[in-house]
Amino acid sequence: MANILLTRIDNRLIHGQVAVTWVNHIGANLILVADDKVAENSIQQSLMDMAVPDVIETRYFTVQETIDNIGYAADDQLIFLVVRTPQTLLRLVEGGVSIDKVNVGNMHYSEGKEQIISTVSVDEKDIETFKKLDELGVKMDVRRVPDERGKNIMDLI
């Protein structure tokens, strides 16, 4: 299986915090975004690439492409996997992608969601998905930045 250093849920996907702070902290050399919409949108990809230092590669795959291809990653590819939602994460795990720890970074507030911490808002669907991921053995740590003390999402929902 691929060398996934960390997986992050962030509805903004790639931005400065992901592209610099987290990449440097974990030592990644590839950011892989698993998102069906962005995989088909070259303009969004170009905008996100602008935040990424030249020495870091990016890939934009659909969820199914990620499931089908991540196992072919080269040994020297140190992957930071980024997804928009916990539902995408669950699809990856159920599809056979080996993910044992997740950073829950940012889930915006919207109507029908409850803010459980300053950067994370959830609805019933999200809570149900987090519970399934927990049952599958995925450890989920809520942190905006690496030097912040993390909290287990299961203690917050």
Side-chain angles (χ1 to χ4, degrees):
M1 189 47 81
N3 192 6
I4 300 171
L5 302 178
L6 183 65
T7 301
R8 178 177 170 98
I9 298 171
D10 192 324
N11 60 333
R12 300 169 295 174
L13 299 173
I14 296 178
H15 51 89
Q17 203 174 69
V18 165
V20 178
T21 307
W22 279 102
V23 165
N24 288 336
H25 176 72
I26 64 174
N29 59 17
L30 171 65
I31 302 172
L32 171 56
V33 173
D35 187 86
D36 292 342
K37 290 180 182 175
V38 172
E40 307 300 328
N41 188 323
S42 61
I43 293 171
Q44 281 189 317
Q45 292 173 24
S46 295
L47 289 171
M48 284 189 262
D49 282 346
M50 290 174 22
V52 180
D54 291 340
V55 295
I56 306 300
E57 293 183 58
T58 56
R59 300 282 189 282
Y60 300 92
F61 290 169
T62 66
V63 175
Q64 191 60 52
E65 285 174 321
T66 304
I67 291 167
D68 293 344
N69 295 306
I70 200 161
Y72 297 110
D75 291 341
D76 63 346
Q77 289 180 312
L78 306 175
I79 301 171
F80 183 15
L81 179 59
V82 183
V83 300
R84 190 184 306 265
T85 67
Q87 291 76 28
T88 298
L89 179 65
L90 181 60
R91 286 177 59 199
L92 292 171
V93 171
E94 289 179 336
V97 178
S98 181
I99 298 170
D100 57 357
K101 61 183 174 183
V102 173
N103 165 242
V104 182
N106 197 48
M107 294 174 60
H108 283 315
Y109 175 82
S110 62
E111 190 171 336
K113 294 201 175 216
E114 175 187 348
Q115 187 176 29
I116 59 171
I117 197 163
S118 65
T119 58
V120 177
S121 297
V122 297
D123 58 19
E124 287 302 317
K125 183 178 174 185
D126 296 327
I127 292 170
E128 179 183 314
T129 303
F130 282 127
K131 287 179 180 177
K132 285 181 186 174
L133 288 162
D134 184 59
E135 289 169 9
L136 292 169
V138 178
K139 304 292 180 220
M140 296 164 286
D141 181 57
V142 179
R143 280 195 291 171
R144 287 178 305 124
V145 291
D147 61 354
E148 186 176 82
R149 185 174 179 176
K151 296 179 180 164
N152 182 335
I153 189 100
M154 300 311 292
D155 294 337
L156 301 172
I157 58 176

